[in-house]
Amino acid sequence: MSARDTILRRLRERTDGPLAAPKSDFAVVTGRGWSHDERLERFERWITSVHGEVIHTQRDNWLEVLSQVVSAKSIRRLALGREHPVAAEVRMELAASELKLVDSDRDVEGWQRELFEQVDAGLTSVRGAIAETGSLWLWPTQDEPRQLSLVPPIHIAVLDASSIEDTLFDVIEAHGWSQQMPTNALLISGPSKTADIEQTLAYGVHGPKELVVIVRH
Amino acid sequence: MSVEIYTPQAFHRQAHDALGNPQIRGNFRKAMDGLMTKRRDIFNDWDLETLRELGANIRLRALAKLPDLLEQLEANCQANGIQMHWAEDGDQACRIIREICQARGAKSVIKGKSMVSEEMHLNAHLEEAGIEALESDLGEYLVQLNEQTPSHIIMPAIHLNTDEISDILHDKTGTERTRDVDYMTAAARQQLRERFMSADVGVSGVNFAVAETGTLCLVENEGNGRMTTTVPPVHIAVTGIEKVVEHLRDVAPLYALLTRSATGQHVTTYFNLINSPRKRGERDGPEEVHLVLVDNGRSSIYQDDELLDTLRCIRCGACMNHCPVYTRVGGHTYGTTYPGPIGSILMPHMLGLEATQDLPSASSLCGACGEVCPVKIPIPDLLVRLRKEAVGEGRGNVLGAGVKRNKKEVAAWKSWQWMATHPGAWRGGTAIAGKLQVMMPAKLGPWTDYRTMPKPAKTSLHALMKRHRQEKES
C-alpha cells in the first residue's frame, strides 16, 4: 500500500469515529463599513507604520510625481512592464529622460544578474489595497513578473485610491479569488524586514529596502 | 561559543544549566516580555474572543474533513501542475526530496523557513547525499552558521544577542565585528543573494494549504520565502498533513490570528499564495513545483478525540512566548524540534513518551498557553492527559504510554486511597503518624528538592476538633 493510501486509510478509519464540522461565522473579519476617506486613512497609517512611503497625486500629474521620486532617490535604472497602462504611461512620459528603462517582460533567465545587481527600482501596478492592514495586492503577470516587486532595492507601486477595500476577506470574496487564482497572488505590506537580530527591526534583508506607494486620486 | 547537542532525555540537566546561565535568562526575558506586550496591544481593536472562536472552528472543520480535504488538495494541486508526494514519516519525506533533487542533478538547495524540515532533519539528510542545504531566513541562517538548531519556531535565533550574532558572522563569514544591525543585515543580504541565484532547488514550508484551490500560502517578512519559491528552477514545499484548510476565505481570519499572535504584527510584509509552476509565457517562477505531505505521527494524534486538538496548531509560538517555563529555560532546553507548551504536547507523539516523558511536566499548568492560543487549543488539559499517559493512567494510545509508572508510587497511592476510604484505618493511621513523626524521612525523592517535607501534626485535626467541642460543652 502506498504512503498516500496508508495515511488516508488511517484518517478514514479513525478510532474515535467521525468528527462533526462546526460552522464558521465570518462576521468578525468583514462588514467594517468604512468610508472612502477612512479606508484611505487606515491604509496610509498602517503601511507607513511599517516603513512604507505614501505619496498622494492626482490622476493627471502622477507622472510628474514619479519623476520627482526617481530623481530624489537617484534611480538610474528602472525596471517595468510594457503593456499595463501604468507602465505604458511611464514609458511615454519618461522615454526621453536620462532614466534607463529596463524591460521586465522577458524571460528572467536572460537578465537575472542585471536584475539582481544593476536595477535600482522596480515599478508595478497593483490590483488594489486593504485598509485594515495597509496591504497592497498584486497578481504578477507576464508583463510584470514576480521578481519585479521583490529583487530591486526599491519597489514603486502605483495604486488607485478608489481600489482600496476594507479587509482581506472582502478582497478574496469580492474578486472571486477562489474561482480564478493566478500562478502567484501576493499581499505586500511594507518593504522587506527582519527582527531576527535581538528583535531590532532592520529593513531590506532580502527584498526591497524601500516601498513607495504612489496613490492616484 | 560551545556547540551543544540537546536532547529531551536530558531536560532536567539542560534546564538546570539554562537557569544558571544569566546570558540565556536575560536574552529570553527581554525578548518574551516585548512579545507579550506587543501581542496584547495589537488585538486592542478586535473582538478577540470571537476571532479565536472562528479560528478554532475553521481548524476543527478542516480536521473533521481531513481525508477528503487532502484528496481535494491533491486533485486541485495536480490540476494546477503541482506534483504531489506523500510521506509516512520524516525519513520517507527526506528521501522524496533528495530524489527530486537528484533527478534534477541538484548540488545546492536554498531553504525558506520550515519547521517540518527541521522535524525530519532534512539538511543533514541532503548533506549526506552531497547536496548543500542553506537556510535563507536570517535567523535560521545564523543558527546554521553557529551549528545550532532554532530555539523558537518563529524567531529561531532569539537565544542569541547582538554581540553573539556579530561574533558568529565575523567568525564564519568575515564581516566586521559591530553592533550595527543594519550592517549585519546588509551583509547577510549580500551573502545570500548570490546563493538564491545559484541554487538548483528551493525548499519551503507551508502555512496553509487550501484544498478548494490547490494553493500553498506562505507568511513571511523578509522576502526570503518569495526568493526561495520564485528564483530557483524547482520549488519543493513540505508540510504536515494537518495544515490543510477547506476554503480560500478560511485563510483570512487564520492569517489575522497568526501574525498578531506570533510577533504582535498586524500583518507580515509578505503573504505569498502559490498556485502553480511557471505557466507558458510567464517570465519567472520555478518550472516545477512539488508538494510533500508528511504524516510523521500526525495520523496517530488524529485517532483520539482529545489529542486531536493538538493538530489545530497554526505554529504562531504565542504559547512559548507566554510560558513561564519556556521564558526561563529557553527553547534548546527542551531538546526537541518544537519547544515550549506546543512542543510538550506534540513531541511525545513524534518521539514517544520514553524520550519525552519530562516534557508534559515542564509546565506550571498556569494556563497562560491555553489563554493566548489563537485557535483555543486546551494545552493545559493535553499536558495533564499526557502526564496520565506517561504513568499508565490514560487510554494507553500514546507511544511509550506507562513509561513513568513506578510500582512503589502506585502502591503508595493505592494504600493512601484505601486508608482515606476507611475511616477507622485513617484515624488510626494519622494518630500513629503523629506519634511517630520524628521517624519520618527527611526527604521524599525529588519532590523535596525544592519543597519542605511536610510533617504530620502531633494531634490530628479530628482530635483537635473533638477536644474543642468537649471543652465547649463542659
Side-chain angles (χ1 to χ4, degrees):
Chain A
M1 195 181 274
S2 69
R4 174 188 185 279
D5 294 345
T6 307
I7 293 167
L8 288 173
R9 185 178 51 81
R10 293 204 70 204
L11 297 178
R12 288 228 155 82
E13 294 170 7
R14 190 174 171 275
T15 311
D16 285 356
L19 291 156
K23 291 213 167 9
S24 304
D25 178 358
F26 288 89
V28 69
V29 289
T30 183
R32 298 288 181 265
W34 292 322
S35 68
H36 173 269
D37 288 351
E38 280 173 308
R39 279 199 288 272
L40 195 61
E41 185 272 323
R42 280 174 191 272
F43 168 78
E44 181 166 357
R45 174 153 47 94
W46 281 120
I47 203 158
T48 51
S49 77
V50 288
H51 218 65
E53 283 177 57
V54 172
I55 302 173
H56 295 277
T57 71
Q58 296 304 310
R59 195 72 178 71
D60 56 10
N61 77 337
W62 78 275
L63 289 161
E64 256 171 65
V65 172
L66 174 66
S67 292
Q68 289 159 11
V69 170
V70 164
S71 149
K73 295 192 179 290
S74 307
I75 295 168
R76 285 187 295 275
R77 301 171 74 85
L78 177 74
L80 73 173
R82 210 189 292 264
E83 286 176 11
H84 192 281
V86 162
E89 281 183 57
V90 174
R91 283 176 182 274
M92 291 247 305
E93 177 76 15
L94 300 179
S97 71
E98 285 180 11
L99 180 70
K100 162 87 176 148
L101 299 178
V102 180
D103 303 332
S104 65
D105 62 338
R106 52 195 165 131
D107 288 348
V108 75
E109 284 74 15
W111 65 299
Q112 182 89 275
R113 199 156 278 281
E114 180 188 356
L115 176 65
F116 269 71
E117 293 171 359
Q118 290 167 26
V119 172
D120 301 312
L123 179 133
T124 72
S125 61
V126 300
R127 294 207 163 212
I130 298 166
E132 186 166 74
T133 51
S135 309
L136 301 166
W137 66 278
L138 291 73
W139 285 6
T141 59
Q142 297 180 16
D143 190 44
E144 296 179 334
R146 295 157 72 165
Q147 296 184 39
L148 188 56
S149 62
L150 174 65
V151 175
I154 302 172
H155 175 204
I156 302 171
V158 182
L159 167 72
D160 286 328
S162 58
S163 66
I164 306 175
E165 286 159 88
D166 290 351
T167 69
L168 171 60
F169 182 84
D170 294 343
V171 167
I172 290 174
E173 293 289 280
H175 297 271
W177 279 29
S178 58
Q179 280 91 55
Q180 43 152 4
M181 281 295 269
T183 299
N184 182 219
L186 274 172
L187 299 190
I188 297 180
S189 316
S192 153
K193 67 173 184 283
T194 185
D196 274 340
I197 302 180
E198 210 182 324
Q199 299 257 290
T200 307
L201 208 49
Y203 288 95
V205 55
H206 294 299
K209 297 172 186 178
E210 295 178 54
L211 170 68
V212 183
V213 184
I214 296 180
V215 182
R216 302 191 301 186
H217 295 263
Chain B
M1 196 172 301
S2 66
V3 173
E4 220 180 316
I5 304 294
Y6 297 93
T7 66
Q9 288 91 337
F11 177 83
H12 282 290
R13 182 182 56 74
Q14 286 154 194
H16 187 264
D17 292 349
L19 288 170
N21 183 335
Q23 186 90 63
I24 292 281
R25 293 288 296 269
N27 292 357
F28 274 93
R29 181 81 269 164
K30 190 174 159 212
M32 298 304 147
D33 282 353
L35 286 167
M36 282 190 272
T37 310
K38 277 166 77 180
R39 177 199 165 274
R40 195 190 57 213
D41 295 345
I42 204 77
F43 278 117
N44 272 345
D45 294 342
W46 283 79
D47 178 355
L48 178 55
E49 278 318 295
T50 307
L51 185 62
R52 286 176 76 214
E53 194 68 41
L54 174 58
N57 280 344
I58 289 170
R59 293 298 301 132
L60 282 169
R61 171 159 48 83
L63 291 171
K65 302 178 179 180
L66 187 57
D68 293 342
L69 294 185
L70 287 170
E71 282 192 322
Q72 191 188 358
L73 175 72
E74 178 181 58
N76 284 326
C77 283
Q78 284 170 337
N80 294 347
I82 297 174
Q83 299 176 49
M84 296 293 296
H85 311 266
W86 299 68
E88 283 185 63
D89 56 31
D91 287 345
Q92 195 176 9
C94 282
R95 278 200 302 278
I96 290 167
I97 293 175
R98 188 196 67 212
E99 283 164 15
I100 299 169
C101 292
Q102 286 170 337
R104 295 283 305 203
K107 291 275 167 258
S108 66
V109 164
I110 191 108
K111 281 186 66 221
K113 196 164 162 13
S114 155
M115 288 311 294
V116 179
S117 73
E118 296 287 337
E119 178 188 316
M120 61 204 226
H121 308 293
L122 178 63
N123 291 5
H125 182 96
L126 289 178
E127 268 154 35
E128 272 173 34
I131 301 166
E132 184 202 42
L134 185 73
E135 298 290 347
S136 63
D137 171 271
L138 181 59
E140 295 262 359
Y141 178 59
L142 292 167
V143 296
Q144 188 181 32
L145 284 176
N146 203 33
E147 297 170 52
Q148 280 182 314
T149 50
S151 65
H152 190 285
I153 64 171
I154 300 294
M155 290 151 294
I158 199 88
H159 56 288
L160 299 169
N161 62 28
T162 306
D163 290 328
E164 290 169 312
I165 290 168
S166 171
D167 286 345
I168 294 165
L169 282 173
H170 172 77
D171 294 344
K172 303 286 172 137
T173 71
T175 57
E176 285 175 33
R177 277 204 170 84
T178 174
R179 288 187 57 80
D180 182 344
V181 171
D182 287 329
Y183 167 84
M184 287 189 273
T185 305
R189 175 190 176 96
Q190 206 51 45
Q191 289 157 15
L192 285 163
R193 284 210 144 200
E194 203 55 49
R195 311 296 281 272
F196 283 119
M197 278 192 279
S198 62
D200 301 307
V201 173
V203 171
S204 79
V206 176
N207 290 94
F208 315 111
V210 184
E212 178 185 31
T213 51
T215 303
L216 312 176
C217 303
L218 277 168
V219 175
E220 57 139 354
N221 282 311
E222 295 185 358
N224 70 308
R226 287 184 66 197
M227 288 276 195
T228 301
T229 57
T230 310
V231 181
V234 179
H235 168 211
I236 306 172
V238 55
T239 186
I241 53 171
E242 82 284 17
K243 285 287 186 80
V244 67
V245 295
E246 186 174 11
H247 298 297
L248 194 61
R249 64 172 171 271
D250 290 337
V251 303
L254 292 177
Y255 181 46
L257 282 163
L258 174 59
T259 62
R260 288 174 174 84
S261 304
T263 51
Q265 294 180 89
H266 61 282
V267 72
T268 52
T269 302
Y270 301 115
F271 187 45
N272 189 2
L273 298 98
I274 295 163
N275 287 285
S276 75
R278 185 191 302 202
K279 292 193 188 107
R280 184 190 289 272
E282 288 177 346
R283 304 306 193 175
D284 62 8
E287 297 151 14
E288 286 176 32
V289 177
H290 299 259
L291 175 62
V292 184
L293 293 171
V294 186
D295 181 338
N296 206 24
R298 289 162 173 83
S299 62
S300 299
I301 303 174
Y302 190 73
Q303 303 302 315
D304 182 300
D305 276 345
E306 192 180 13
L307 301 173
L308 176 86
D309 289 333
T310 312
L311 298 177
R312 276 192 233 170
C313 178
I314 55 171
R315 306 283 190 266
C316 69
C319 59
M320 299 168 198
N321 304 347
H322 291 76
C323 174
V325 176
Y326 178 91
T327 54
R328 282 164 179 79
V329 301
H332 285 149
T333 295
Y334 293 79
T336 48
T337 305
Y338 303 92
I342 184 64
S344 298
I345 60 169
L346 187 57
M347 293 312 301
H349 302 282
M350 293 183 179
L351 302 177
L353 276 165
E354 201 157 329
T356 59
Q357 56 185 277
D358 290 326
L359 301 189
S361 305
S363 165
S364 63
L365 295 184
C366 69
C369 50
E371 275 178 38
V372 297
C373 176
V375 288
K376 298 183 119 175
I377 302 174
I379 300 176
D381 296 345
L382 290 166
L383 289 167
V384 172
R385 165 72 190 276
L386 289 168
R387 290 182 188 188
K388 283 187 183 163
E389 292 290 341
V391 296
E393 289 181 357
R395 292 173 62 179
N397 56 0
V398 178
L399 190 65
V403 67
K404 268 182 119 171
R405 195 168 182 84
N406 177 325
K407 278 185 188 160
K408 273 200 274 182
E409 210 174 330
V410 172
W413 285 113
K414 280 222 162 119
S415 312
W416 174 272
Q417 186 187 25
W418 187 85
M419 287 227 342
T421 50
H422 292 79
W426 178 264
R427 277 194 292 274
T430 48
I432 294 169
K435 295 221 163 46
L436 299 181
Q437 56 158 289
V438 284
M439 292 170 69
M440 291 291 285
K443 286 185 75 66
L444 206 61
W447 198 84
T448 43
D449 283 353
Y450 305 101
R451 296 175 183 89
T452 311
M453 177 75 190
K455 272 193 177 170
K458 275 186 186 162
T459 313
S460 73
L461 179 65
H462 274 280
L464 280 174
M465 285 302 291
K466 199 172 171 186
R467 197 191 304 163
H468 178 69
R469 263 201 302 270
Q470 282 166 352
E471 282 170 6
K472 217 173 160 188
E473 279 164 15
S474 64

Coordinates of all heavy atoms in Angstrom, one line a residue, chain B residues 264-311:
Chain B
G264 N 3.1 40.0 17.3 CA 2.4 41.3 17.6 C 2.3 42.2 16.4 O 2.2 43.4 16.5
Q265 N 2.5 41.6 15.2 CA 2.4 42.4 14.0 C 0.9 42.4 13.4 O 0.3 41.3 13.5 CB 3.2 41.9 12.8 CG 4.7 41.9 13.0 CD 5.4 41.3 11.8 OE1 5.7 42.0 10.9 NE2 5.6 40.0 11.9
H266 N 0.4 43.5 12.9 CA -1.0 43.4 12.4 C -1.0 42.7 11.1 O -2.0 42.1 10.6 CB -1.6 44.8 12.2 CG -0.8 45.7 11.3 ND1 0.3 46.4 11.7 CD2 -1.1 46.1 10.0 CE1 0.8 47.1 10.7 NE2 -0.1 46.9 9.7
V267 N 0.2 42.6 10.4 CA 0.3 41.9 9.2 C 1.8 41.6 8.9 O 2.6 42.3 9.5 CB -0.4 42.7 8.0 CG1 0.5 43.9 7.6 CG2 -0.7 41.9 6.8
T268 N 2.1 40.6 8.1 CA 3.5 40.4 7.8 C 3.8 41.2 6.5 O 2.8 41.5 5.7 CB 3.9 39.0 7.6 OG1 3.0 38.4 6.7 CG2 3.9 38.2 8.9
T269 N 5.0 41.4 6.1 CA 5.3 42.1 4.9 C 4.8 41.4 3.7 O 4.2 42.0 2.8 CB 6.8 42.3 4.8 OG1 7.3 43.0 5.9 CG2 7.2 43.0 3.5
Y270 N 5.0 40.0 3.7 CA 4.5 39.3 2.5 C 3.5 38.2 2.9 O 3.7 37.5 3.9 CB 5.7 38.7 1.8 CG 6.7 39.7 1.3 CD1 8.0 39.7 1.9 CD2 6.4 40.6 0.4 CE1 8.9 40.7 1.4 CE2 7.3 41.6 -0.1 CZ 8.5 41.6 0.5 OH 9.4 42.6 0.1
F271 N 2.5 38.1 2.1 CA 1.6 36.9 2.2 C 1.6 36.4 0.7 O 1.1 37.0 -0.2 CB 0.2 37.3 2.7 CG -0.7 36.1 2.9 CD1 -0.2 35.0 3.6 CD2 -2.0 36.1 2.5 CE1 -1.0 33.9 3.8 CE2 -2.8 35.0 2.7 CZ -2.3 33.9 3.4
N272 N 2.2 35.2 0.6 CA 2.5 34.7 -0.8 C 1.6 33.5 -1.0 O 1.6 32.5 -0.3 CB 4.0 34.2 -0.7 CG 4.6 33.9 -2.0 OD1 3.9 34.0 -3.0 ND2 5.8 33.5 -2.0
L273 N 0.8 33.5 -2.1 CA -0.1 32.4 -2.4 C 0.3 31.8 -3.7 O 0.2 32.4 -4.8 CB -1.6 32.9 -2.5 CG -2.1 33.5 -1.2 CD1 -2.0 35.1 -1.2 CD2 -3.6 33.1 -1.0
I274 N 0.8 30.6 -3.6 CA 1.4 29.9 -4.8 C 0.4 28.9 -5.3 O -0.1 28.0 -4.6 CB 2.7 29.2 -4.4 CG1 3.7 30.3 -4.0 CG2 3.3 28.4 -5.6 CD1 4.9 29.8 -3.2
N275 N 0.1 28.9 -6.6 CA -0.8 28.0 -7.2 C -0.3 27.0 -8.2 O -0.9 26.0 -8.4 CB -2.0 28.8 -7.9 CG -2.8 29.5 -6.8 OD1 -3.7 28.8 -6.2 ND2 -2.6 30.7 -6.6
S276 N 0.8 27.4 -8.8 CA 1.3 26.5 -9.9 C 2.7 26.9 -10.3 O 3.2 27.9 -9.9 CB 0.4 26.7 -11.1 OG 0.7 27.9 -11.8
P277 N 3.4 26.0 -11.0 CA 4.7 26.3 -11.6 C 4.5 27.4 -12.6 O 3.4 27.8 -13.0 CB 5.2 25.0 -12.1 CG 4.0 24.1 -12.3 CD 3.0 24.6 -11.3
R278 N 5.6 27.9 -13.2 CA 5.6 28.9 -14.2 C 4.7 28.4 -15.4 O 4.9 27.3 -15.9 CB 7.0 29.1 -14.7 CG 7.1 30.2 -15.7 CD 8.5 30.3 -16.4 NE 9.6 30.5 -15.4 CZ 10.8 31.0 -15.8 NH1 11.0 31.3 -17.0 NH2 11.7 31.1 -14.9
K279 N 3.8 29.2 -15.8 CA 2.9 28.8 -16.9 C 3.5 29.3 -18.2 O 4.4 30.2 -18.2 CB 1.5 29.4 -16.8 CG 0.7 28.8 -15.6 CD -0.7 29.2 -15.7 CE -1.5 28.8 -14.5 NZ -1.9 29.9 -13.6
R280 N 3.1 28.7 -19.3 CA 3.6 29.1 -20.6 C 3.5 30.6 -20.8 O 2.4 31.2 -20.6 CB 2.8 28.4 -21.7 CG 3.3 28.6 -23.1 CD 2.3 28.1 -24.2 NE 2.3 26.6 -24.2 CZ 3.1 25.9 -24.9 NH1 4.0 26.5 -25.7 NH2 3.1 24.6 -24.9
G281 N 4.6 31.2 -21.2 CA 4.5 32.7 -21.4 C 4.9 33.5 -20.2 O 5.3 34.7 -20.3
E282 N 4.9 32.9 -19.0 CA 5.3 33.6 -17.8 C 6.8 33.8 -17.8 O 7.5 32.9 -18.3 CB 4.7 33.0 -16.5 CG 3.2 33.2 -16.4 CD 2.6 32.5 -15.2 OE1 3.2 31.6 -14.6 OE2 1.4 32.8 -14.9
R283 N 7.3 34.8 -17.2 CA 8.7 35.2 -17.3 C 9.6 34.7 -16.2 O 10.8 34.8 -16.2 CB 8.8 36.7 -17.4 CG 8.0 37.4 -18.5 CD 8.3 36.7 -19.8 NE 7.7 37.5 -20.9 CZ 8.0 37.3 -22.2 NH1 8.7 36.2 -22.5 NH2 7.5 38.0 -23.1
D284 N 9.0 34.4 -15.0 CA 9.8 33.9 -13.9 C 9.0 32.9 -13.1 O 7.8 32.6 -13.5 CB 10.4 35.0 -13.1 CG 9.3 35.8 -12.4 OD1 8.1 35.5 -12.4 OD2 9.7 36.8 -11.8
G285 N 9.6 32.4 -12.1 CA 8.9 31.3 -11.3 C 9.5 30.0 -11.6 O 10.1 29.8 -12.7
P286 N 9.4 29.0 -10.7 CA 10.0 27.7 -11.0 C 9.3 26.9 -12.1 O 8.1 27.0 -12.3 CB 9.8 27.0 -9.6 CG 8.7 27.7 -9.0 CD 8.7 29.1 -9.4
E287 N 10.1 26.1 -12.8 CA 9.5 25.2 -13.8 C 8.7 24.0 -13.2 O 7.8 23.5 -13.8 CB 10.6 24.6 -14.7 CG 11.4 25.6 -15.4 CD 12.8 25.2 -15.7 OE1 13.2 24.0 -15.5 OE2 13.7 26.1 -16.0
E288 N 9.2 23.6 -12.0 CA 8.5 22.5 -11.3 C 8.1 23.0 -9.9 O 9.0 23.6 -9.2 CB 9.4 21.3 -11.1 CG 9.8 20.5 -12.3 CD 10.8 19.4 -12.0 OE1 10.8 18.9 -10.9 OE2 11.6 19.1 -12.9
V289 N 6.9 22.6 -9.5 CA 6.6 22.8 -8.0 C 6.1 21.5 -7.5 O 5.3 20.8 -8.1 CB 5.5 23.9 -7.8 CG1 5.1 24.0 -6.4 CG2 5.9 25.2 -8.3
H290 N 6.6 21.1 -6.4 CA 6.3 19.8 -5.7 C 5.7 20.1 -4.3 O 6.1 21.0 -3.7 CB 7.5 18.9 -5.5 CG 8.2 18.5 -6.8 ND1 8.0 17.3 -7.4 CD2 9.0 19.2 -7.6 CE1 8.7 17.2 -8.5 NE2 9.3 18.4 -8.7
L291 N 4.7 19.3 -3.9 CA 4.2 19.4 -2.5 C 4.4 18.0 -1.9 O 3.9 17.0 -2.4 CB 2.8 19.8 -2.5 CG 2.1 19.8 -1.1 CD1 2.8 20.9 -0.2 CD2 0.6 20.1 -1.2
V292 N 5.1 18.0 -0.7 CA 5.3 16.8 0.0 C 4.5 16.9 1.3 O 4.7 17.7 2.1 CB 6.8 16.6 0.4 CG1 7.1 15.3 1.1 CG2 7.7 16.7 -0.8
L293 N 3.5 16.0 1.4 CA 2.7 15.9 2.6 C 3.2 14.9 3.6 O 3.4 13.7 3.2 CB 1.3 15.5 2.2 CG 0.5 16.5 1.3 CD1 -0.8 15.8 0.8 CD2 0.1 17.7 2.1
V294 N 3.5 15.3 4.8 CA 4.2 14.5 5.8 C 3.2 14.1 6.9 O 2.6 15.0 7.5 CB 5.4 15.2 6.3 CG1 6.2 14.3 7.2 CG2 6.3 15.7 5.2
D295 N 3.2 12.8 7.2 CA 2.4 12.4 8.4 C 3.2 12.5 9.7 O 3.0 13.3 10.5 CB 1.9 11.0 8.1 CG 1.0 10.4 9.2 OD1 1.1 11.0 10.3 OD2 0.2 9.5 9.0
N296 N 4.2 11.6 9.8 CA 5.1 11.6 10.9 C 4.4 11.7 12.3 O 4.7 12.6 13.1 CB 6.1 12.8 10.8 CG 7.4 12.5 11.5 OD1 7.8 11.4 11.7 ND2 8.1 13.6 11.9
G297 N 3.5 10.8 12.5 CA 2.8 10.8 13.8 C 1.5 11.5 13.9 O 0.7 11.3 14.8
R298 N 1.2 12.3 12.9 CA 0.0 13.1 13.0 C -1.3 12.3 12.9 O -2.3 12.6 13.5 CB 0.0 14.2 11.9 CG 1.1 15.3 12.1 CD 1.4 16.1 10.9 NE 2.2 17.2 11.1 CZ 3.6 17.2 11.2 NH1 4.2 16.0 11.1 NH2 4.3 18.3 11.4
S299 N -1.2 11.2 12.0 CA -2.4 10.4 11.9 C -2.7 9.6 13.2 O -3.8 9.2 13.4 CB -2.4 9.5 10.7 OG -1.3 8.6 10.8
S300 N -1.7 9.4 14.0 CA -1.9 8.8 15.3 C -2.6 9.8 16.3 O -3.6 9.4 17.0 CB -0.6 8.4 16.0 OG 0.1 7.5 15.2
I301 N -2.2 11.0 16.3 CA -2.8 12.0 17.1 C -4.3 12.1 16.7 O -5.2 12.3 17.5 CB -2.1 13.4 17.0 CG1 -0.6 13.3 17.3 CG2 -2.8 14.5 17.8 CD1 0.2 14.6 17.0
Y302 N -4.5 12.0 15.4 CA -5.8 12.2 14.8 C -6.9 11.1 15.3 O -8.1 11.4 15.3 CB -5.7 12.1 13.3 CG -6.9 12.5 12.5 CD1 -7.3 13.8 12.4 CD2 -7.7 11.5 11.9 CE1 -8.4 14.2 11.7 CE2 -8.9 11.9 11.2 CZ -9.2 13.2 11.1 OH -10.3 13.6 10.4
Q303 N -6.4 10.0 15.8 CA -7.3 8.9 16.2 C -8.1 9.3 17.5 O -9.2 8.7 17.7 CB -6.5 7.6 16.5 CG -5.7 7.2 15.3 CD -6.5 6.9 14.1 OE1 -7.5 6.3 14.1 NE2 -6.0 7.4 12.9
D304 N -7.6 10.1 18.3 CA -8.2 10.3 19.7 C -8.9 11.7 19.8 O -8.3 12.7 19.5 CB -7.0 10.2 20.6 CG -7.4 10.4 22.1 OD1 -7.9 11.4 22.5 OD2 -7.0 9.4 22.9
D305 N -10.1 11.7 20.2 CA -10.9 12.9 20.3 C -10.2 14.0 21.0 O -10.3 15.2 20.7 CB -12.3 12.6 20.9 CG -13.3 12.1 19.9 OD1 -13.0 12.2 18.7 OD2 -14.3 11.6 20.3
E306 N -9.6 13.7 22.1 CA -8.9 14.7 23.0 C -7.6 15.2 22.4 O -7.4 16.4 22.3 CB -8.7 14.1 24.4 CG -8.4 15.1 25.4 CD -8.1 14.5 26.8 OE1 -8.0 13.2 26.9 OE2 -8.1 15.3 27.8
L307 N -6.8 14.2 22.0 CA -5.4 14.6 21.5 C -5.5 15.3 20.1 O -4.6 16.1 19.8 CB -4.6 13.3 21.3 CG -4.4 12.5 22.6 CD1 -3.7 11.2 22.2 CD2 -3.6 13.3 23.6
L308 N -6.6 15.1 19.4 CA -6.8 15.7 18.1 C -6.6 17.3 18.1 O -6.1 17.8 17.2 CB -8.2 15.4 17.7 CG -8.7 16.1 16.4 CD1 -8.3 15.2 15.2 CD2 -10.2 16.3 16.4
D309 N -7.0 17.9 19.3 CA -6.9 19.3 19.3 C -5.4 19.8 19.1 O -5.2 21.0 18.7 CB -7.3 19.8 20.7 CG -8.9 19.7 20.9 OD1 -9.5 19.7 19.8 OD2 -9.3 19.5 22.0
T310 N -4.5 19.0 19.4 CA -3.1 19.3 19.1 C -2.9 19.8 17.6 O -2.1 20.6 17.3 CB -2.1 18.1 19.4 OG1 -2.5 17.6 20.6 CG2 -0.7 18.5 19.4
L311 N -3.6 19.1 16.7 CA -3.5 19.3 15.3 C -4.1 20.7 14.8 O -3.9 21.0 13.6 CB -4.1 18.2 14.5 CG -3.4 16.8 14.8 CD1 -4.1 15.7 14.0 CD2 -1.9 16.8 14.4

